[in-house]
């Protein structure tokens, strides 16, 4: 099978065959990356392609320089790795440049001498396709042969001759003719049995058909590769120009694809930050008349207000006891105070203070019953707070 020549360590490849194999390997790696969208399986698919390029480079070099064939490995390998893991486009360009340099270096080396001519696929070696073709002999049935077709007529003629020569022995002639007819029927039945057994044998061996289909597919791929190679041989300058244009096209796609991936990652990270900083959908909140909001997320009470500017950060943390000391206590006008767990400045310039779930009932009750509160240097009036809290069902159990 002609595809075996791609995985053979023996023989010699032409420079054109090596160029086509190397270019096809790079193109297939990029096409696989489009199909699998940067999945790790691309690395597994790239390994056979890299092996084919490595073997072709080895066959292109003389025996003393075959270790130089390893120069073709870094380019395709880096390309596959960068298409899976890299977020920038420059590793793809580096991989493409390394591949082009490696191919040019291998082509510039002297080619081994061969005793046999190259085949249409640019290969010369022990696995060359033989040009000898076997003549197919079509099977024929015994009943279809001219001799067997005239057998009834001969039997009839023999019967008539016997009847004419010896009329009293007509019964004997008739018996001989009957024996010949019986032999003809027996032959016909035997032929049918043979064809029935052959059909059963074909039905019981579906794997033979599968093997034939695989062989046919391999022959068609090899024929397509040979046709492409012959076309490139006829127009070497056009082939070189096409290879250069293809390299530029792949590089442009890598560059554009890398930019899009970077923008997509940046957009996703920005959206994730906004979602993390935005109020959750399960947060119940009530706007107080003095401009601040009382929020309830499950059993966690939060107070938020506007008025600060700056980068999102933590203003006060009870766990570390560090930050703005004016935010370490929430104090009501009757002197009762509570310690917030954290006080943070959000991206929308709002300040949010979170309290322990253990203090939630007492704080909500004081907001409803007291006259004012002080937190982080801001004093808020609580006039009309009880009526505002009663409008939200989530706060009613605490009133």
């Amino acid at each position: 099978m002609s595809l075996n020549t791609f995985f053979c360590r023996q023989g010699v490849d032409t420079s054109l065959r090596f160029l086509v194999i190397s270019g096809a390997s790079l193109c297939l790696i990029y096409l696989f990356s489009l199909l699998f969208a940067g999945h790790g399986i691309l690395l597994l698919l790239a390994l056979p392609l890299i092996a084919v390029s490595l073997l072709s480079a080895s066959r292109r070099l003389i025996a003393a320089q075959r270790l130089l064939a390893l120069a073709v490995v870094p380019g395709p390998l880096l390309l596959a790795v960068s298409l899976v893991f890299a977020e920038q486009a420059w590793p793809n360009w580096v991989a493409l440049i390394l591949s082009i340099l490696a191919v040019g270096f291998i082509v510039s080396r002297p080619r081994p001498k061969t005793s046999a001519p190259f085949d249409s696929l640019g290969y010369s070696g022990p696995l060359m396709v033989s040009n000898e073709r076997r003549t197919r002999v079509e099977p024929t049935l015994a009943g279809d042969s001219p001799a067997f077709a005239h057998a009834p007529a001969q039997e009839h003629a023999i019967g008539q001759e016997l009847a004419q020569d010896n009329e009293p022995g007509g019964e004997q002639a008739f018996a001989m003719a009957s024996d010949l007819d019986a032999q003809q029927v027996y032959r016909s039945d035997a032929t049918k049995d043979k064809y029935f057994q052959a059909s059963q044998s074909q039905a019981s061996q579906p794997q033979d058909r599968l093997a034939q289909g695989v062989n046919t597919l391999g022959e068609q791929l090899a024929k397509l590769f040979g046709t492409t190679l012959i076309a490139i041989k006829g127009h070497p300058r056009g082939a070189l120009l096409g290879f250069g244009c293809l390299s530029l096209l792949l590089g442009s796609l890598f560059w554009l694809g890398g930019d899009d991936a970077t923008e997509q990652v940046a957009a996703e990270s920005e959206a994730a930050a906004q979602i993390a900083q935005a109020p959750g959908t399960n947060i119940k909140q009530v706007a107080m008349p003095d401009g601040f909001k009382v929020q309830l997320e499950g059993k966690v009470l939060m107070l938020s207000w506007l008025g600060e500017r700056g980068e999102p950060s933590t203003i006060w943390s009870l766990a570390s006891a560090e930050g703005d000391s004016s935010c370490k206590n929430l104090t009501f006008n009757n002197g009762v105070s509570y310690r917030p767990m954290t006080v943070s400045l959000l991206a929308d310039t709002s300040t949010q203070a979170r309290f322990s779930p253990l203090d939630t009932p007492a704080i909500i009750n004081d907001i409803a019953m007291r006259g004012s509160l002080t937190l982080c240097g801001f004093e808020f009036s609580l006039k009309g707070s009880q009526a505002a809290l009663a409008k939200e069902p989530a706060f009613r159990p605490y009133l």
Side-chain angles (χ1 to χ4, degrees):
M1 184 176 174
S2 298
L3 286 181
N4 293 337
T5 59
F6 295 103
F7 301 94
C8 179
R9 293 183 298 176
Q10 301 176 355
V12 179
D13 281 6
T14 62
S15 299
L16 190 56
R17 176 187 172 94
F18 169 66
L19 285 173
V20 172
I21 291 177
S22 301
S25 299
L26 294 176
C27 294
L28 288 176
I29 290 175
Y30 181 71
L31 290 178
F32 286 148
S33 69
L34 297 179
L35 292 176
F36 297 101
H39 196 276
I41 196 175
L42 176 62
L43 298 177
L44 298 178
L45 295 175
L47 291 179
L49 299 175
I50 296 175
V52 171
S53 299
L54 178 61
L55 291 173
S56 180
S58 177
R59 293 190 300 267
R60 173 57 183 76
L61 298 171
I62 60 178
Q65 298 180 352
R66 288 199 169 181
L67 286 179
L68 298 177
L70 295 175
V72 302
V73 175
L77 185 60
L78 177 62
L79 177 62
V81 173
S82 62
L83 289 174
V84 175
F85 299 105
E87 297 179 358
Q88 303 292 332
W90 64 266
N92 301 330
W93 279 100
V94 173
L96 187 60
I97 293 173
L98 286 177
S99 300
I100 294 176
L101 292 178
V103 169
F105 174 74
I106 297 297
V107 171
S108 64
R109 299 294 91 191
R111 192 179 67 186
K113 297 180 180 180
T114 59
S115 58
F118 292 96
D119 60 7
S120 60
L121 300 180
Y123 171 79
S124 176
L127 297 182
M128 292 180 61
V129 180
S130 177
N131 294 326
E132 297 178 359
R133 298 180 179 272
R134 297 182 178 179
T135 304
R136 178 179 174 85
V137 179
E138 297 293 338
T140 57
L141 298 177
D144 294 337
S145 62
F148 192 80
H150 294 289
Q154 294 176 358
E155 294 168 2
H156 183 68
I158 292 172
Q160 286 182 351
E161 291 177 357
L162 291 174
Q164 291 177 0
D165 294 340
N166 190 8
E167 292 183 358
E171 295 179 357
Q172 183 179 1
F174 180 77
M176 293 177 62
S178 300
D179 292 339
L180 292 175
D181 292 338
Q183 292 179 2
Q184 180 182 357
V185 173
Y186 175 76
R187 293 175 182 174
S188 178
D189 293 340
T191 303
K192 292 180 180 179
D193 292 340
K194 290 181 180 179
Y195 272 91
F196 180 72
Q197 293 176 359
S199 62
Q200 286 185 338
S201 176
Q202 292 178 357
S204 63
Q205 296 179 352
Q207 62 274 15
D208 293 342
R209 298 181 180 178
L210 180 61
Q212 292 177 358
V214 173
N215 292 334
T216 303
L217 178 60
E219 292 175 358
Q220 294 297 327
L221 292 177
K223 183 179 180 181
L224 178 61
F225 181 79
T227 304
T228 306
L229 201 58
I230 292 174
I232 294 175
K233 285 182 179 179
H235 305 83
R237 295 183 179 179
L240 184 61
L241 180 61
F243 184 76
C245 293
L246 182 61
S247 301
L248 292 177
L249 178 61
L250 288 176
S252 302
L253 291 176
F254 292 151
W255 182 269
L256 295 176
D259 292 343
D260 294 340
T262 304
E263 294 176 358
Q264 183 178 1
V265 170
E268 290 178 354
S269 60
E270 183 178 357
Q274 292 179 356
I275 292 175
Q277 296 172 355
T281 57
N282 60 340
I283 295 179
K284 307 298 181 182
Q285 66 179 8
V286 174
M288 295 289 105
D290 201 17
F292 70 99
K293 296 178 181 180
V294 182
Q295 300 171 332
L296 192 62
E297 183 181 17
K299 294 184 179 181
V300 179
L301 181 70
M302 298 175 291
L303 300 181
S304 66
W305 64 94
L306 299 175
E308 297 288 341
R309 293 183 180 274
E311 296 294 329
S313 60
T314 300
I315 300 175
W316 164 259
S317 174
L318 180 61
S320 61
E322 295 178 355
D324 189 355
S325 59
S326 64
C327 298
K328 65 180 181 179
N329 286 317
L330 166 66
T331 306
F332 289 92
N333 59 332
N334 63 345
V336 178
S337 63
Y338 303 91
R339 291 186 180 275
M341 302 295 292
T342 59
V343 179
S344 304
L345 180 62
L346 303 183
D348 58 353
T349 69
S350 65
T351 305
Q352 185 185 75
R354 299 175 68 93
F355 297 86
S356 171
L358 299 176
D359 297 332
T360 297
I363 296 176
I364 292 177
N365 185 66
D366 284 335
I367 291 175
M369 303 303 296
R370 308 307 167 197
S372 64
L373 63 84
T374 303
L375 180 62
C376 295
F378 293 90
E379 183 176 0
F380 300 100
S381 174
L382 298 178
K383 183 179 180 180
S385 59
Q386 184 175 7
L389 291 173
K391 294 179 181 179
E392 177 57 47
F395 291 93
R396 292 173 187 172
Y398 300 98
L399 299 177

